[in-house]
Amino acid sequence: MPKILIVGGGYAGFYTAWKLEKHLRRGEADVTIVDPLPYMTYQPFLPEVAAGSIEARHSVVALRRHLKKTHVVAAKVTGIDHAHKVATITPIAGEPYQFEYDQIVVTAGAVSRTFPIPGIADNAIGLKTIEEAVAIRDRLMSNFDKAAQLPAGPERDRLLTVIVVGGGFAGIEVFAELRSLASALLKNYPQLRFEDTHFHLIEAMGRIMPEVSLKTSEWVLKNLAKRGANVHLDTQVTGAVGGNVELSTGETLPSDLIIWTAGVMANPTVVRGGDLPVEERGRIRTRADLRVGTEDEVVDGAWAAGDVSAVPDLTGGGVGGYCVPNAQHAVRQAKLLSKNLVAVLRGEVPKEYFHKNLGAVAGLGLYIGVFQSGKIALTGLLAWFAHRGYHGLAMPSWERKWRVLWGWWNNFWLGRDLVNLSTVQNPRYVFEEFAARPRPAQPAEAPAAPKASGAEKQKVAAS
């Protein structure tokens, strides 16, 4: 039976395995998916998780629950020797081992791409994982607790200053969602005023959200300005040492929460650890039919999709001729990849990937959104419903859909959940504080001198 190895359990990896289970006949192939995490994260929900609008566990999909016929391995693929069709798997527990395969599907996704700016690696946080979204939410709410106990001054300003670097969709969404969360928190903190909170978004380009029209992006800027949020265009971050964010304009903004969303790059662990062809931007070179290779040459038995791959955009709308790294492409590429892989196993011809961008939707906090499809643009409440409707339906599996929709329904009546669980990152702190410990060993006493006998006493007296 042919062995299919899927590297990465994100969008593209999960959907490839999910659809292979549907398309493969019994006994036609053996499928294994490898990822260190036991779940797929639905990344468009991360800004709402950071704002407390969606329960963190509801925005991820458990691999073992939904992949019934696929072997799920909690590990990393740290090496690919495709010349011999062998991958090196490093499990989360145990020693690395070799895995032989017949077909490999590389869907390892992307990670945050940063620059060697002093202080960023030490003080900033990304927004690519569910853990980062939860940490952002908890940090903001913890800072409100701390700031409420302090008098007005530099330290309180630092705690209540949020800085987001990057004006793409992810940056704008988390920026606006956190502004909405902060405004909601203020009613519970009578010690703090709206004017005490400071939100800054730093964008190196002259505009935000290139996926929408200039007119729509300008509406977003005006909306954010009305809500007390500051957007710095044509501005770069030059330093962040000690949490003091230095800008190319000469301004310095002290902050305790710096969020980096200024770009992504293909997972370097997988790309650099293998012998598959790579293009100049560090992505696996992929054909339009999602096989690895070029238009003139095919790497037999190798496939790629999602953010880790450079797939030609046959619509002509991609950046540099390739599909942009987003969920819309990753999901659709994975669905076609599963069909093409099965077709090749059966001696059939695979189809080329062709998908024209349907548009873009973004949530900007409760009841505010933007929607762009061609020349049609919506803003405000209607666009917010479009945003939630699209992503609610796009969430894989009805089990996950119902959990998300039920959470939204509850929040509509009960308000967003503002519970701060930052201590989860140190869950043993109470136990350690009060746990009884054995007393330190006492130093051994010197042995007592033996008592003198009666005869010896008389001799001492006589002398």
Side-chain angles (χ1 to χ4, degrees):
M1 193 188 308
K3 291 184 178 181
I4 301 173
L5 175 63
I6 301 175
V7 182
Y11 281 123
F14 171 78
Y15 269 94
T16 298
W18 204 27
K19 297 303 179 181
L20 279 174
E21 291 190 350
K22 177 181 178 181
H23 300 311
L24 287 170
R25 304 186 186 111
R26 182 183 296 272
E28 191 170 13
D30 184 77
V31 183
T32 299
I33 188 168
V34 179
D35 195 287
L37 297 174
Y39 50 78
M40 181 214 86
T41 301
Y42 190 73
Q43 293 185 0
F45 281 157
L46 292 183
E48 289 198 61
V49 171
S53 296
I54 294 180
E55 163 63 36
R57 290 177 301 170
H58 297 170
S59 61
V60 299
V61 180
L63 299 181
R64 296 182 187 277
R65 175 165 184 171
H66 295 281
L67 299 178
K68 301 296 186 181
K69 304 175 185 177
T70 303
H71 303 294
V72 178
V73 179
K76 290 183 178 180
V77 173
T78 52
I80 297 174
D81 181 5
H82 191 67
H84 299 92
K85 292 191 175 181
V86 174
T88 301
I89 297 181
T90 303
I92 58 176
E95 296 298 321
Y97 60 91
Q98 303 297 305
F99 183 94
E100 296 182 358
Y101 61 83
D102 297 288
Q103 302 281 336
I104 190 169
V105 179
V106 184
T107 54
V111 298
S112 296
R113 176 175 60 92
T114 60
F115 306 104
I117 300 172
I120 286 294
D122 299 320
N123 299 295
I125 185 171
L127 190 66
K128 290 292 291 179
T129 68
I130 193 67
E131 294 83 2
E132 288 174 324
V134 171
I136 289 169
R137 180 196 66 194
D138 289 342
R139 173 65 67 87
L140 180 62
M141 291 194 285
S142 294
N143 285 354
F144 265 72
D145 287 332
K146 296 174 185 177
Q149 310 305 317
L150 297 175
E155 179 59 17
R156 192 168 81 171
D157 287 341
R158 184 182 71 86
L159 290 170
L160 297 178
T161 297
V162 176
I163 296 178
V164 175
V165 184
F169 254 63
I172 289 294
E173 284 192 287
V174 73
F175 184 64
E177 289 283 359
L178 291 180
R179 173 68 270 182
S180 178
L181 172 60
S183 298
L185 286 173
L186 286 170
K187 64 182 179 182
N188 300 313
Y189 293 86
Q191 309 93 329
L192 304 176
R193 302 174 304 162
F194 182 86
E195 294 76 17
D196 296 328
T197 60
H198 313 285
F199 281 74
H200 298 271
L201 183 135
I202 317 301
E203 170 53 46
M205 305 298 289
R207 60 163 295 180
I208 60 170
M209 304 175 73
E211 299 89 345
V212 302
S213 67
L214 181 60
K215 183 179 179 181
T216 302
S217 69
E218 290 174 346
W219 181 91
V220 174
L221 289 175
K222 292 177 182 177
N223 180 267
L224 291 172
K226 290 179 182 177
R227 296 158 61 186
N230 304 286
V231 178
H232 306 257
L233 298 178
D234 294 313
T235 305
Q236 297 177 334
V237 174
T238 58
V241 178
N244 296 309
V245 178
E246 301 173 4
L247 306 181
S248 57
T249 58
E251 189 176 1
T252 299
L253 304 171
S255 173
D256 192 57
L257 181 53
I258 306 167
I259 305 168
W260 182 274
T261 65
V264 297
M265 64 179 179
N267 190 321
T269 302
V270 174
V271 172
R272 297 172 187 170
D275 57 356
L276 296 175
V278 178
E279 48 90 65
E280 56 274 9
R281 295 188 61 184
R283 298 172 297 180
I284 294 176
R285 193 176 295 279
T286 310
R287 295 159 45 92
D289 61 9
L290 304 176
R291 289 184 288 182
V292 174
T294 64
E295 185 177 349
D296 302 320
E297 184 179 358
V298 177
V299 178
D300 181 58
W303 306 76
D307 296 356
V308 78
S309 64
V311 179
D313 189 342
L314 301 183
T315 69
V319 177
Y322 296 102
C323 297
V324 296
N326 62 23
Q328 195 174 132
H329 280 303
V331 170
R332 287 168 174 79
Q333 287 171 7
K335 291 179 179 179
L336 179 63
L337 191 156
S338 64
K339 293 180 180 179
N340 281 353
L341 202 163
V342 172
V344 168
L345 290 178
R346 296 172 182 172
E348 301 170 3
V349 179
K351 297 180 180 179
E352 293 187 332
Y353 176 74
F354 183 94
H355 172 69
K356 190 172 183 179
N357 191 0
L358 300 176
V361 288
L364 305 177
L366 288 181
Y367 313 121
I368 305 172
V370 293
F371 167 86
Q372 182 87 47
S373 180
K375 295 182 179 180
I376 301 174
L378 301 174
T379 57
L381 180 61
L382 193 58
W384 180 79
F385 277 118
H387 161 73
R388 285 208 161 177
Y390 173 80
H391 287 299
L393 292 174
M395 185 71 177
S397 85
W398 280 105
E399 179 255 341
R400 292 285 103 178
K401 285 180 173 66
W402 279 117
R403 290 185 188 273
V404 171
L405 293 172
W406 184 245
W408 281 338
W409 177 254
N410 288 335
N411 286 349
F412 177 78
W413 298 103
L414 304 176
R416 77 174 92 209
D417 195 339
L418 301 181
V419 175
N420 174 11
L421 295 177
S422 59
T423 51
V424 166
Q425 299 169 37
N426 182 24
R428 297 183 66 249
Y429 78 102
V430 173
F431 182 84
E432 289 178 335
E433 181 179 355
F434 296 104
R437 290 175 170 82
R439 293 184 178 182
Q442 299 296 324
E445 295 183 1
K451 293 183 179 181
S453 64
E456 290 174 337
K457 290 181 180 179
Q458 289 180 357
K459 289 180 181 180
V460 171
S463 62

